[in-house]
Amino acid sequence: MIAEDSGMLRQMLVDLLTRHGFDVTGQASTKDDIVAQVDRDPPDAVLLDIRLPPG
């Protein structure tokens, strides 16, 4: 999963990872959204922006 508030950077990361054989199972632009996705379907790893809105 990828959590990044910049849509362009998030999409670039998704494209890069999928080209190299990784499955990106979720994307989020807010803290609340990524927490909900991780709770619903825990991934093997999360690439996380440490300054996600809100807060």
Side-chain angles (χ1 to χ4, degrees), residues 8-27:
M8 184 182 293
L9 178 56
R10 188 174 58 250
Q11 190 58 52
M12 288 171 49
L13 291 168
V14 169
D15 293 344
L16 178 72
L17 290 169
T18 54
R19 263 194 316 244
H20 285 88
F22 292 93
D23 292 326
V24 177
T25 60
Q27 301 178 44

Side-chain angles (χ1 to χ4, degrees), residues 14-53:
V14 169
D15 293 344
L16 178 72
L17 290 169
T18 54
R19 263 194 316 244
H20 285 88
F22 292 93
D23 292 326
V24 177
T25 60
Q27 301 178 44
S29 61
T30 67
K31 178 183 76 168
D32 294 337
D33 192 18
I34 194 64
V35 168
Q37 288 186 48
V38 169
D39 283 344
R40 204 171 32 252
D41 185 20
D44 291 333
V46 176
L47 185 59
L48 179 65
D49 180 350
I50 62 170
R51 291 193 178 128
L52 285 174

